[in-house]
């Protein structure tokens, strides 16, 4: 097996950088680590050793030229390379063969997502695979992903879910879909509504396919954690809580064709998770899940949990901030109306920067409703910015930054966002806010 690495950099002198590239090799049939004890490159030996943070043997290739080819001798079968293990260098890895990138990369990513012993590469492979499917759903007119790519995703997810592991935190990360903000980064023109719909469609597909396995894993964790006599903050316990919360998210993903009974089942599970929680992490995971439930069978559970959380906060500022933020980030069709109503709540005030951020700024991060095609989210933000400016110019200028990226949101949304900036610049603004708004219009 040979691996050719080519680097491009912005060195003014044009000289290559010295880049350590940690590489492992996995047998394509058995998924075992098979990196040889020697690697040949221009008749020189590279350093081979065990990384303390990795389970499998890793070879560090020293890339010192613009292009180098490394030979791995005496391999018995085909292998899949795991490159840049443990983030050995701050570089971006891109296949040089466009045809290979299109045809073979997804198969390689699926294999690494399922079998890699390096947590970082396992996670990143899964993220790239999930991202590919989500983009396909967004792009295709029928709203469907390529069958082969979806098959890779489901296979990798299933293996990751059922593989025995001692690192539950890595497993939790590997099972989590990329966030909406991360998905935006790979698009030239961003459609937040399409991103949410496509991501949600993939999550529903996964939840439906693996519901039995997800529930079994969730129940096993719930039972083992219930037997613990004291709350622990060690890595193992934190990893189990993280994984259990991820599993809850999938189990409460209500399918499009859900009945009222399905909604009640999901809400009942989330409510039990909420009531049995012995830490804020678990309680918030359940509350955030319930806050986005909109079905007829789940509404009462949602409202009961929100009221209970508020009552138990007993006026604690940090806890109340979480209460406001949870509702601002909810995936509900009328979330903007709810946020506007919350601005009238006795515990809300624009004069408190943290409280203002917990509701208004949090809503601006809620991509789909903030970027709704009617522009109501933009108008709400501009209205609020004008009110805040007389109280706290630094805060108002920071909030207005949610409008200055209008160029990447397409012609129609961009015009609406720019329109609010043009409206603001005509008002009597503080110097801080005027600087941000005028810069956004250039």
């Amino acid at each position: 097996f040979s691996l050719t690495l080519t680097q491009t950099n912005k060195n003014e002198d044009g000289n290559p950088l010295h880049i350590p590239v940690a590489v492992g090799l996995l047998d394509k049939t058995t998924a075992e680590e098979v990196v040889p004890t020697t690697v040949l490159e221009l008749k020189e030996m590279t350093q081979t050793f065990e990384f303390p943070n990795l389970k499998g043997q890793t070879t560090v290739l020293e890339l010192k030229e613009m292009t180098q080819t490394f030979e791995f001798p005496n391999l018995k079968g085909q292998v899949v390379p795991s490159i840049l293990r443990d983030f050995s260098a701050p570089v971006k890895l891109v296949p040089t063969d466009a045809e290979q990138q299109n045809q073979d990369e997804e198969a390689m990513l699926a294999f690494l997502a399922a079998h890699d012993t390096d947590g970082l590469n396992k996670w990143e492979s899964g993220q790239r695979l999930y991202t590919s499917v989500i983009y396909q759903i967004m792009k295709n007119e029928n709203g469907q992903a390529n069958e082969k790519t979806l098959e890779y995703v489901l296979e990798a997810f299933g293996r990751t879910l059922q593989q025995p592991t001692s690192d539950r935190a890595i497993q939790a990360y590997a099972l989590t879909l990329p966030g909406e903000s991360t998905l935006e980064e790979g698009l030239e023109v961003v459609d937040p509504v399409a991103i949410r719909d496509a991501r949600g469609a993939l999550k529903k597909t996964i939840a439906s396919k693996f519901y039995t396995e997800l529930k079994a894993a969730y129940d096993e964790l719930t039972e083992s954690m219930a037997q613990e006599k004291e709350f622990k903050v060690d890595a193992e316990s934190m990893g189990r809580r993280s994984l259990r919360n991820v599993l809850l998210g999938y189990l409460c993903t209500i399918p499009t064709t859900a009945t009222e009974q399905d909604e009640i089942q999901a809400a009942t599970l989330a409510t039990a998770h909420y009531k049995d929680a012995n830490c804020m992490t678990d309680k918030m995971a359940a509350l955030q899940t319930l806050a986005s439930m909109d079905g007829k069978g789940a509404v009462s559970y949602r409202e009961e949990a929100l009221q209970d959380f508020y009552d138990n906060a007993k006026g604690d500022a940090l806890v109340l901030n979480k209460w406001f933020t949870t509702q601002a980030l909810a995936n509900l069709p009328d979330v903007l109306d709810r946020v506007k109503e919350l601005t009238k709540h006795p515990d809300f005030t624009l004069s408190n920067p943290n409280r203002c951020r917990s509701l208004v700024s949090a809503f601006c991060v809620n991509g789909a409703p903030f970027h709704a095609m009617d522009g109501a989210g933009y108008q709400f933000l501009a209205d609020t910015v004008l009110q805040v400016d007389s109280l706290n110019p630094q805060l108002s200028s920071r909030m207005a930054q949610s409008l200055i990226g209008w160029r990447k949101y397409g012609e129609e949304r961009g015009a609406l966002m720019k329109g609010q900036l043009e409206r603001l610049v005509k008002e009597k603004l503080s110097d801080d806010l005027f600087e941000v708004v005028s810069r956004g219009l250039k």
Side-chain angles (χ1 to χ4, degrees):
F1 176 79
S2 65
L3 179 66
T4 299
L5 299 174
T6 300
Q7 63 168 292
T8 58
N9 60 62
K10 296 183 180 180
N11 262 4
E12 294 182 359
D13 57 13
N15 293 328
L17 299 174
H18 182 181
I19 303 175
V21 182
V23 175
L25 299 178
L26 285 80
D27 186 278
K28 204 169 186 178
T29 302
T30 65
E32 293 179 354
E33 295 275 356
V34 293
V35 67
T37 56
T38 60
V39 181
L40 305 179
E41 195 280 317
L42 298 178
K43 298 182 180 180
E44 295 180 0
M45 304 294 290
T46 61
Q47 187 177 9
T48 302
F49 60 93
E50 292 279 348
F51 265 31
N53 295 329
L54 299 176
K55 295 179 180 178
Q57 191 177 47
T58 295
T59 295
V60 176
L61 308 180
E62 311 234 5
L63 181 60
K64 301 178 181 179
E65 307 296 333
M66 296 305 292
T67 298
Q68 287 176 252
T69 297
F70 299 88
E71 297 288 343
F72 296 79
N74 304 322
L75 296 175
K76 297 181 179 179
Q78 291 185 316
V79 296
V80 175
S82 174
I83 307 173
L84 289 176
R85 284 186 159 184
D86 208 30
F87 198 58
S88 61
V91 298
K92 184 176 181 180
L93 187 68
V94 180
T96 55
D97 188 331
E99 183 177 353
Q100 178 188 356
Q101 182 177 8
N102 293 332
Q103 294 181 357
D104 300 335
E105 186 181 25
E106 289 179 348
M108 182 183 73
L109 291 175
F111 184 88
L112 293 175
H115 301 291
D116 205 338
T117 58
D118 178 69
L120 177 64
N121 278 7
K122 182 183 183 69
W123 168 81
E124 185 176 20
S125 298
Q127 294 296 291
R128 290 168 63 184
L129 202 56
Y130 295 143
T131 299
S132 177
V133 169
I134 292 170
Y135 285 167
Q136 288 176 22
I137 295 173
M138 292 175 61
K139 181 179 179 180
N140 295 339
E141 294 182 0
N142 62 1
Q144 301 291 324
N146 177 279
E147 290 186 9
K148 192 63 177 177
T149 309
L150 182 59
E151 182 182 324
Y152 286 142
V153 165
L154 295 177
E155 178 186 357
F157 186 94
R159 286 184 178 275
T160 301
L161 175 62
Q162 298 180 59
Q163 274 181 345
T165 177
S166 59
D167 195 335
R168 300 292 193 180
I170 290 296
Q171 188 179 19
Y173 279 119
L175 294 174
T176 303
L177 300 183
E180 294 176 9
S181 60
T182 301
L183 293 167
E184 287 187 8
E185 296 174 0
L187 299 171
E188 293 185 8
V189 178
V190 177
D191 183 345
V193 176
I195 289 175
R196 176 161 298 183
D197 290 344
R199 184 180 183 276
L202 176 57
K203 191 171 185 179
K204 289 176 182 178
T205 299
I206 292 174
S208 176
K209 171 75 173 178
F210 295 103
Y211 185 87
T212 301
E213 293 86 348
L214 290 163
K215 188 64 166 62
Y218 178 87
D219 289 342
E220 180 182 349
L221 285 170
T222 300
E223 183 178 352
S224 64
M225 291 169 64
Q227 295 175 357
E228 295 181 351
K229 296 182 179 180
E230 59 181 29
F231 180 79
K232 298 179 181 179
V233 291
D234 56 86
E236 181 181 352
S237 298
M238 292 170 66
R240 284 190 294 174
R241 286 194 291 273
S242 178
L243 176 60
R244 183 167 172 264
N245 290 334
V246 169
L247 297 176
L248 175 72
Y250 280 105
L251 291 171
C252 292
T253 300
I254 301 173
T256 307
T257 57
T259 63
E260 185 174 339
Q261 186 58 41
D262 293 330
E263 296 166 354
I264 293 175
Q265 179 178 318
T268 300
L269 179 63
T271 299
H273 192 107
Y274 173 84
K275 291 182 177 180
D276 294 340
N278 61 356
C279 66
M280 184 61 76
T281 300
D282 288 354
K283 190 172 285 288
M284 286 302 301
L287 185 67
Q288 289 163 359
T289 299
L290 285 163
S292 292
M293 291 187 177
D294 191 42
K296 182 179 179 180
V299 170
S300 62
Y301 293 86
R302 180 190 72 205
E303 297 304 319
E304 179 183 347
L306 288 169
Q307 186 62 49
D308 179 78
F309 190 87
Y310 174 80
D311 292 340
N312 288 330
K314 297 179 181 180
D316 185 286
L318 294 179
V319 178
L320 285 176
N321 286 344
K322 291 179 180 293
W323 184 75
F324 280 104
T325 297
T326 297
Q327 296 176 83
L329 294 176
N331 184 18
L332 297 174
D334 61 344
V335 65
L336 176 55
D337 293 334
R338 292 174 177 274
V339 169
K340 289 180 179 179
E341 194 63 30
L342 284 169
T343 61
K344 304 173 186 177
H345 193 279
D347 287 307
F348 182 80
T349 174
L350 292 176
S351 62
N352 184 321
N354 288 337
R355 187 56 49 81
C356 184
R357 281 190 286 262
S358 72
L359 182 64
V360 181
S361 297
F363 170 72
C364 296
V365 178
N366 196 349
F370 177 63
H371 293 284
M373 292 302 297
D374 60 4
Y378 309 144
Q379 182 176 345
F380 167 71
L381 175 59
D383 292 343
T384 306
V385 164
L386 286 173
Q387 296 178 60
V388 173
D389 196 40
S390 60
L391 302 170
N392 190 330
Q394 290 182 323
L395 178 59
S396 64
S397 60
R398 188 64 179 265
M399 293 169 65
Q401 291 181 8
S402 295
L403 293 170
I404 65 176
W406 56 272
R407 291 173 180 83
K408 68 178 182 179
Y409 288 100
E411 185 175 345
E412 190 170 349
R413 284 191 177 91
L416 293 171
M417 297 174 76
K418 185 180 180 182
Q420 293 301 325
L421 290 173
E422 292 171 339
R423 169 195 164 200
L424 288 173
V425 81
K426 295 176 183 178
E427 302 288 340
K428 185 177 180 180
L429 307 177
S430 66
D431 292 342
D432 289 356
L433 180 56
F434 179 80
E435 179 182 355
V436 171
V437 173
S438 57
R439 185 175 73 242
L441 289 170
K442 290 181 181 179

